[in-house]
Amino acid sequence: FFFSRLIALRAASRSPSPSVFTPSAAMSLADLVTVINDLSAASQFNQLLTHLQSQEEMMIQQLPQLDEVLPALRPMEHSLGMVFILKAKAAAVPLSNLQAVHTFLQQCRRLLLEGDPVQVQMVPSHFATVCAKFANAAVAIAAPAAALRPLQHAAQVLQPSPAHFTPVHTEVLRVALLARHYPAAARLLDASDLLEVAKEKTGVAPRDLLLYHYYAGLACCGLHRFSDAVRYFTLCYTAPTHVVHAAMVEAYKKCVLASLLATGEQPAQPKYTALPIQRYIKTGVPAYSELAEAFATRSPAELRSAITKHEATFARDRNLGLARQCVGALVRRSIRSLTQAYLTLSLADIAAAAQLESPAEAEGHVVAMVAAGDISATIDEPQGMVHFSESADAFDSPGAVAAMEASISGAIGVATKLQAMHAQLCTDSQYLSRVMRERVQSRWEDDGMGMGK
């Protein structure tokens, strides 16, 4: 069917066929295919880009016929043309129409998996729009996992270098979370140092960065990497802003819970947190403040009471699961503190110190903590005693040495990147002019205060 349509389309420029398209539409679309083929073959991509930009309105007007054009194009050779055509379709594909969604997914999949990086990077915003619609379409048919591999490849295609952050990285994390495919999210977070943010090269917007760090925090919570989750959530809610963004608020709520799970304390609020966020945190999240205060009492009963009191709020925010995990974290923290003061302790004493209901419950927690590597201990069941000991790991194994070398190498790499970024900032005209303006303003304020005195 597609081949017969393609033949009719190519013949339309010589003898338009009303049975295929209206004459004007056939001529316009045939000319478009011809131009894409000819200029792509000659690698005249700048000229092709100019032509496609002038034809965007025509493509929107001829949306029903665009499906017949796409099979005539090959992603590796005609990526630029396919991006424009799919972007025109992206705004009009109804997510409630399953047939239209499946067709759009198949068309996008070809481009995302086989696209030419050179052509794609000429239109980063258009390509990011196509990727976002592709992700939404996959979610609409309850198949987010099917979008993972195409989006992962699309992110690499759009990157000018492995260090560049792109809007597609945000979509990768989003569909990974919806598919509950946490290993895919972990691979992205562990394998990439996305330190370069270039709007002109990747089409990235502040919203993309906010959501990326928010989704990264969610992924780390799913992986039980709560320290990493705190770091990502903090990057989200401390971003410069003049207004309170919904993602920042949700990031702070989850940051409180993740911090309690990771360190047993509320997250330290950085000095550079925007004033609107600081003001909102003081009065806008009472349920989370009360939960943190209850955790600080080291009383599981008070903590459970606080969770029960605000259960509706936590459920509405989809944080009830994390809140309930805080009870177990508090108990583990109480038991861990006992290992620093005692060498031997009865299960009954452990239950009393951790405010547990019975020695059997205390034994269950100790066994779980030993299995997880949180503490080193042995249980004398006949006597009901627990003997705590130092960790058996002497850190002299090949694995420990390799881990230490990897940490040192990572620290050196971070230091090198910081030095490079510092050198770049020192020669950036916009940064230097802003610093000078702030210094001048500070001097004026000091002079004003001095005159007032």
Side-chain angles (χ1 to χ4, degrees), residues 2-3 43 86 115 158 160 183 191 214 221 228 304 306 318 337 339 385 414 430 450:
F2 283 124
F3 285 113
S43 297
L86 288 171
L158 186 55
Y214 178 66
C221 285
D228 290 338
R304 290 190 185 97
R318 298 185 178 182
S337 66
T339 66
M385 302 296 291
V414 170
Q430 293 182 348

Side-chain angles (χ1 to χ4, degrees), residues 74-86:
R74 294 180 294 276
M76 183 55 71
E77 300 174 22
H78 310 124
S79 293
L80 201 54
M82 292 186 69
V83 168
F84 273 84
I85 293 172
L86 288 171

